[in-house]
Amino acid sequence: MSYNIAIDGPAGAGKSTIAKAVAKRMNYIYVDTGAMYRAMALFLLRNHVKPEEMEKINEQCQEADITIRYENGEQVVLLNGENVNKLIRTEEVSKMASISSANANVRKKLVSLQQALAKRENVVMDGRDIGTCVLPSAEIKIYLTASVEVRAKRRFGELTAKGEQCALAAIEADIRDRDRRDMTREISPLKQAEDAVLIDTSDMDIEEAVMTVIELCRQKGYER
Ligand code: DC
């Protein structure tokens, strides 16, 4: 049997930072499912599929072979054999991923890959539907959130640190848009699983959030 920790929440709540830190301390594998949806979005963009062309997304997604492997403890996403880690963090890919991830065929394909991985390995998996759909029987489920304002400020800080020009108001509007799409789509919308523990990181530092999850692992008897 493998130990699974499911972490869901909106963009910018700190999921990946916290999930990575928990995985390291528990000696589990960190699975970033958003990266898989991003790789699929990159594939569609490369094939000149437009976000509104749902029928085309339906057909084209069958041609994408998305797998993950681990190099020095880091997740590498392979799109038809190519390492696309460095190409999937653009705003264009973010937007396409948020739209194409609403497609049933896209989800079916990626969810089965995620479930197979969690069956084999002890994982900390983050995404939008991990506690509700991918790993409904995970004993530890976290719903990680923060206010839109705090999330926008964090993103603004990350981008300006990289030297990118951006406006806080535009980032905030973009986050609201993504939240709405992720939370209102028909298939597997983002929502807190009934048995998930809510952690709001608006006024919390990373260490506090990580320790809350580690304490839950201890209570549930999860082994390192
Ligand atoms: O976590 P992220 O921002 O890298 O995710 C990119 C997009 O993929 C996001 O808009 C929602 C979607 N996604 C999803 O629908 N289900 C998941 N399990 C993970 C991500």
Side-chain angles (χ1 to χ4, degrees):
M1 193 207 91
S2 53
Y3 294 103
N4 295 163
I5 300 173
I7 303 186
D8 291 300
K15 292 191 300 292
S16 65
T17 309
I18 289 157
K20 255 187 219 165
V22 170
K24 199 165 180 194
R25 286 186 215 183
M26 294 298 293
N27 205 16
Y28 290 5
I29 287 175
Y30 165 56
V31 185
D32 171 4
T33 63
M36 298 179 187
Y37 288 95
R38 286 170 181 273
M40 179 62 87
L42 177 67
F43 174 81
L44 295 168
L45 287 167
R46 280 178 169 176
N47 284 287
H48 311 288
V49 177
K50 297 202 177 64
E52 63 276 13
E53 295 177 319
M54 268 297 162
E55 260 316 300
K56 263 198 182 163
I57 295 178
N58 251 330
E59 286 163 26
Q60 292 270 332
C61 76
Q62 305 299 349
E63 309 299 320
D65 177 37
I66 293 166
T67 50
I68 60 174
R69 75 167 181 234
Y70 290 85
E71 282 175 13
N72 307 319
E74 288 287 315
Q75 173 180 296
V76 174
V77 187
L78 300 173
L79 169 60
N80 294 332
E82 174 193 354
N83 176 347
V84 293
N85 270 23
K86 291 202 169 71
L87 306 174
I88 57 176
R89 301 285 157 196
T90 63
E91 289 305 311
E92 192 191 13
V93 170
S94 297
K95 183 154 187 235
M96 184 57 158
S98 167
I99 294 167
S100 54
S101 61
N103 181 286
N105 285 348
V106 168
R107 299 205 74 81
K108 205 165 145 199
K109 198 165 173 156
L110 298 182
V111 166
S112 54
L113 193 70
Q114 293 153 13
Q115 287 172 331
L117 196 64
K119 208 169 176 185
R120 277 199 315 268
E121 313 272 0
N122 295 334
V123 296
V124 182
M125 189 175 279
D126 79 7
R128 303 294 189 285
D129 61 336
I130 311 304
T132 51
C133 299
V134 181
L135 307 174
S137 49
E139 278 196 58
I140 299 183
K141 295 181 185 175
I142 309 291
Y143 190 82
L144 200 72
T145 190
S147 70
V148 173
E149 293 77 12
V150 167
R151 289 187 279 133
K153 274 194 196 132
R154 286 179 187 160
R155 183 81 187 126
F156 180 76
E158 282 165 16
L159 291 173
T160 45
K162 279 198 265 174
E164 285 182 35
Q165 290 278 346
C166 54
L168 183 60
I171 293 175
E172 197 177 308
D174 200 53
I175 286 184
R176 282 187 200 280
D177 252 15
R178 283 180 69 191
D179 279 3
R180 185 185 41 74
R181 271 199 298 271
D182 293 348
M183 291 174 181
T184 61
R185 69 181 177 215
E186 223 163 279
I187 313 163
S188 315
L190 167 65
K191 63 169 186 234
Q192 185 179 344
E194 273 177 22
D195 49 350
V197 174
L198 175 72
I199 302 179
D200 187 327
T201 65
S202 301
D203 299 308
M204 208 185 242
D205 63 21
I206 291 163
E207 185 57 21
E208 250 179 284
V210 171
M211 285 318 293
T212 310
V213 184
I214 298 286
E215 177 53 24
L216 273 171
C217 293
R218 197 190 58 75
Q219 285 168 13
K220 297 274 184 191
Y222 271 39
E223 283 169 17
R224 290 184 195 215

